[in-house]
mmCIF file of all heavy atoms in Angstrom:
data_model
loop_
_atom_site.group_PDB
_atom_site.id
_atom_site.type_symbol
_atom_site.label_atom_id
_atom_site.label_comp_id
_atom_site.label_asym_id
_atom_site.label_seq_id
_atom_site.Cartn_x
_atom_site.Cartn_y
_atom_site.Cartn_z
ATOM 1 N N GLU A 136 32.339 -39.145 13.062
ATOM 2 C CA GLU A 136 33.787 -39.414 13.072
ATOM 3 C C GLU A 136 34.201 -40.674 12.563
ATOM 4 O O GLU A 136 35.341 -40.991 12.313
ATOM 5 C CB GLU A 136 34.401 -39.222 14.459
ATOM 6 C CG GLU A 136 34.195 -37.923 15.104
ATOM 7 C CD GLU A 136 32.874 -37.774 15.884
ATOM 8 O OE1 GLU A 136 32.194 -38.807 16.107
ATOM 9 O OE2 GLU A 136 32.541 -36.640 16.212
ATOM 10 N N GLY A 137 33.284 -41.695 12.468
ATOM 11 C CA GLY A 137 33.553 -42.997 12.096
ATOM 12 C C GLY A 137 33.715 -43.958 13.267
ATOM 13 O O GLY A 137 33.314 -43.575 14.388
ATOM 14 N N PRO A 138 34.281 -45.147 13.064
ATOM 15 C CA PRO A 138 34.354 -46.094 14.144
ATOM 16 C C PRO A 138 35.354 -45.683 15.201
ATOM 17 O O PRO A 138 36.194 -44.867 14.980
ATOM 18 C CB PRO A 138 34.896 -47.371 13.460
ATOM 19 C CG PRO A 138 34.806 -47.055 11.959
ATOM 20 C CD PRO A 138 34.764 -45.615 11.780
ATOM 21 N N SER A 139 35.194 -46.209 16.362
ATOM 22 C CA SER A 139 36.034 -46.023 17.548
ATOM 23 C C SER A 139 37.466 -46.422 17.263
ATOM 24 O O SER A 139 37.716 -47.402 16.487
ATOM 25 C CB SER A 139 35.530 -46.750 18.744
ATOM 26 O OG SER A 139 34.219 -46.192 19.236
ATOM 27 N N THR A 140 38.376 -45.774 17.847
ATOM 28 C CA THR A 140 39.802 -46.192 17.785
ATOM 29 C C THR A 140 40.249 -46.507 19.176
ATOM 30 O O THR A 140 39.908 -45.862 20.122
ATOM 31 C CB THR A 140 40.757 -45.088 17.254
ATOM 32 O OG1 THR A 140 40.309 -44.773 15.917
ATOM 33 C CG2 THR A 140 42.188 -45.472 17.225
ATOM 34 N N ILE A 141 40.961 -47.663 19.366
ATOM 35 C CA ILE A 141 41.482 -48.042 20.672
ATOM 36 C C ILE A 141 42.946 -47.842 20.689
ATOM 37 O O ILE A 141 43.662 -47.943 19.606
ATOM 38 C CB ILE A 141 41.112 -49.416 21.080
ATOM 39 C CG1 ILE A 141 41.716 -50.525 20.106
ATOM 40 C CG2 ILE A 141 39.648 -49.640 21.228
ATOM 41 C CD1 ILE A 141 41.890 -51.865 20.671
ATOM 42 N N MET A 142 43.467 -47.546 21.832
ATOM 43 C CA MET A 142 44.924 -47.570 22.078
ATOM 44 C C MET A 142 45.191 -48.708 23.104
ATOM 45 O O MET A 142 44.576 -48.722 24.197
ATOM 46 C CB MET A 142 45.453 -46.288 22.718
ATOM 47 C CG MET A 142 46.971 -46.373 22.940
ATOM 48 S SD MET A 142 47.601 -44.843 23.550
ATOM 49 C CE MET A 142 47.232 -45.012 25.282
ATOM 50 N N LEU A 143 46.009 -49.664 22.690
ATOM 51 C CA LEU A 143 46.265 -50.873 23.532
ATOM 52 C C LEU A 143 47.717 -50.728 23.992
ATOM 53 O O LEU A 143 48.580 -50.487 23.086
ATOM 54 C CB LEU A 143 46.117 -52.134 22.635
ATOM 55 C CG LEU A 143 46.597 -53.435 23.179
ATOM 56 C CD1 LEU A 143 45.650 -53.964 24.308
ATOM 57 C CD2 LEU A 143 46.645 -54.421 22.166
ATOM 58 N N GLU A 144 47.937 -50.775 25.241
ATOM 59 C CA GLU A 144 49.330 -50.805 25.773
ATOM 60 C C GLU A 144 49.596 -52.098 26.412
ATOM 61 O O GLU A 144 48.812 -52.603 27.200
ATOM 62 C CB GLU A 144 49.480 -49.726 26.867
ATOM 63 C CG GLU A 144 49.394 -48.279 26.360
ATOM 64 C CD GLU A 144 49.463 -47.349 27.580
ATOM 65 O OE1 GLU A 144 48.379 -47.106 28.178
ATOM 66 O OE2 GLU A 144 50.518 -46.799 27.820
ATOM 67 N N ILE A 145 50.677 -52.736 25.960
ATOM 68 C CA ILE A 145 51.086 -54.039 26.550
ATOM 69 C C ILE A 145 52.475 -53.816 27.303
ATOM 70 O O ILE A 145 53.393 -53.479 26.646
ATOM 71 C CB ILE A 145 51.192 -55.124 25.439
ATOM 72 C CG1 ILE A 145 49.816 -55.309 24.747
ATOM 73 C CG2 ILE A 145 51.620 -56.459 26.148
ATOM 74 C CD1 ILE A 145 49.837 -56.205 23.563
ATOM 75 N N PHE A 146 52.404 -54.090 28.566
ATOM 76 C CA PHE A 146 53.638 -54.050 29.349
ATOM 77 C C PHE A 146 54.045 -55.379 29.747
ATOM 78 O O PHE A 146 53.252 -56.223 30.132
ATOM 79 C CB PHE A 146 53.342 -53.249 30.602
ATOM 80 C CG PHE A 146 52.997 -51.791 30.408
ATOM 81 C CD1 PHE A 146 51.685 -51.453 30.212
ATOM 82 C CD2 PHE A 146 53.993 -50.805 30.522
ATOM 83 C CE1 PHE A 146 51.335 -50.044 30.100
ATOM 84 C CE2 PHE A 146 53.634 -49.509 30.392
ATOM 85 C CZ PHE A 146 52.319 -49.085 30.177
ATOM 86 N N THR A 147 55.333 -55.660 29.741
ATOM 87 C CA THR A 147 55.868 -56.877 30.337
ATOM 88 C C THR A 147 56.920 -56.337 31.375
ATOM 89 O O THR A 147 57.516 -55.282 31.282
ATOM 90 C CB THR A 147 56.616 -57.744 29.370
ATOM 91 O OG1 THR A 147 57.558 -57.036 28.596
ATOM 92 C CG2 THR A 147 55.620 -58.338 28.340
ATOM 93 N N ARG A 148 56.935 -57.038 32.466
ATOM 94 C CA ARG A 148 57.717 -56.702 33.611
ATOM 95 C C ARG A 148 57.450 -55.267 34.117
ATOM 96 O O ARG A 148 58.283 -54.483 34.362
ATOM 97 C CB ARG A 148 59.251 -56.844 33.329
ATOM 98 C CG ARG A 148 59.582 -58.360 33.090
ATOM 99 C CD ARG A 148 61.002 -58.623 32.750
ATOM 100 N NE ARG A 148 61.472 -58.061 31.478
ATOM 101 C CZ ARG A 148 61.221 -58.673 30.302
ATOM 102 N NH1 ARG A 148 60.456 -59.744 30.217
ATOM 103 N NH2 ARG A 148 61.640 -58.063 29.181
ATOM 104 N N TYR A 149 56.125 -55.043 34.195
ATOM 105 C CA TYR A 149 55.559 -53.753 34.562
ATOM 106 C C TYR A 149 56.034 -53.224 35.860
ATOM 107 O O TYR A 149 56.104 -53.940 36.871
ATOM 108 C CB TYR A 149 54.046 -53.785 34.549
ATOM 109 C CG TYR A 149 53.350 -52.504 34.905
ATOM 110 C CD1 TYR A 149 53.262 -51.446 33.940
ATOM 111 C CD2 TYR A 149 52.895 -52.225 36.147
ATOM 112 C CE1 TYR A 149 52.605 -50.258 34.187
ATOM 113 C CE2 TYR A 149 52.230 -51.048 36.453
ATOM 114 C CZ TYR A 149 52.175 -50.039 35.471
ATOM 115 O OH TYR A 149 51.620 -48.877 35.760
ATOM 116 N N ALA A 150 56.533 -51.989 35.945
ATOM 117 C CA ALA A 150 57.027 -51.283 37.068
ATOM 118 C C ALA A 150 58.360 -51.808 37.625
ATOM 119 O O ALA A 150 58.784 -51.537 38.693
ATOM 120 C CB ALA A 150 55.986 -51.277 38.265
ATOM 121 N N GLY A 151 59.008 -52.623 36.776
ATOM 122 C CA GLY A 151 60.303 -53.162 37.122
ATOM 123 C C GLY A 151 61.331 -52.382 36.331
ATOM 124 O O GLY A 151 61.035 -51.602 35.463
ATOM 125 N N LYS A 152 62.610 -52.582 36.677
ATOM 126 C CA LYS A 152 63.708 -51.851 35.977
ATOM 127 C C LYS A 152 63.832 -52.290 34.499
ATOM 128 O O LYS A 152 64.303 -51.473 33.727
ATOM 129 C CB LYS A 152 65.013 -52.220 36.733
ATOM 130 C CG LYS A 152 65.072 -51.577 38.127
ATOM 131 C CD LYS A 152 66.392 -51.827 38.737
ATOM 132 C CE LYS A 152 66.177 -51.289 40.197
ATOM 133 N NZ LYS A 152 67.451 -51.246 40.938
ATOM 134 N N ASP A 153 63.383 -53.499 34.128
ATOM 135 C CA ASP A 153 63.501 -53.879 32.717
ATOM 136 C C ASP A 153 62.082 -53.896 32.077
ATOM 137 O O ASP A 153 61.943 -54.735 31.152
ATOM 138 C CB ASP A 153 64.245 -55.184 32.590
ATOM 139 C CG ASP A 153 63.604 -56.287 33.394
ATOM 140 O OD1 ASP A 153 62.753 -56.066 34.302
ATOM 141 O OD2 ASP A 153 63.930 -57.461 33.222
ATOM 142 N N GLU A 154 61.240 -52.965 32.462
ATOM 143 C CA GLU A 154 59.931 -52.893 31.869
ATOM 144 C C GLU A 154 59.989 -52.678 30.357
ATOM 145 O O GLU A 154 60.882 -51.911 29.899
ATOM 146 C CB GLU A 154 59.145 -51.718 32.548
ATOM 147 C CG GLU A 154 57.848 -51.399 31.981
ATOM 148 C CD GLU A 154 57.152 -50.178 32.575
ATOM 149 O OE1 GLU A 154 56.726 -50.345 33.706
ATOM 150 O OE2 GLU A 154 57.116 -49.116 31.830
ATOM 151 N N LYS A 155 59.017 -53.313 29.677
ATOM 152 C CA LYS A 155 58.940 -53.123 28.255
ATOM 153 C C LYS A 155 57.453 -52.699 27.965
ATOM 154 O O LYS A 155 56.583 -53.227 28.559
ATOM 155 C CB LYS A 155 59.310 -54.284 27.394
ATOM 156 C CG LYS A 155 60.749 -54.670 27.465
ATOM 157 C CD LYS A 155 61.077 -55.656 26.423
ATOM 158 C CE LYS A 155 62.471 -56.192 26.371
ATOM 159 N NZ LYS A 155 63.608 -55.605 26.888
ATOM 160 N N ARG A 156 57.334 -51.774 27.042
ATOM 161 C CA ARG A 156 55.965 -51.279 26.693
ATOM 162 C C ARG A 156 55.799 -51.200 25.150
ATOM 163 O O ARG A 156 56.661 -50.766 24.455
ATOM 164 C CB ARG A 156 55.791 -49.786 27.204
ATOM 165 C CG ARG A 156 54.431 -49.121 26.842
ATOM 166 C CD ARG A 156 54.412 -47.747 27.427
ATOM 167 N NE ARG A 156 53.294 -47.044 27.016
ATOM 168 C CZ ARG A 156 53.206 -45.939 26.273
ATOM 169 N NH1 ARG A 156 54.371 -45.466 25.872
ATOM 170 N NH2 ARG A 156 52.127 -45.349 25.967
#
Side-chain angles (χ1 to χ4, degrees):
E136 300 87 11
S139 296
T140 299
I141 62 158
M142 180 177 82
L143 170 73
E144 295 176 276
I145 301 173
F146 295 88
T147 54
R148 296 179 291 284
Y149 181 78
K152 291 181 183 187
D153 55 347
E154 174 185 288
K155 290 193 182 347
R156 176 179 176 245

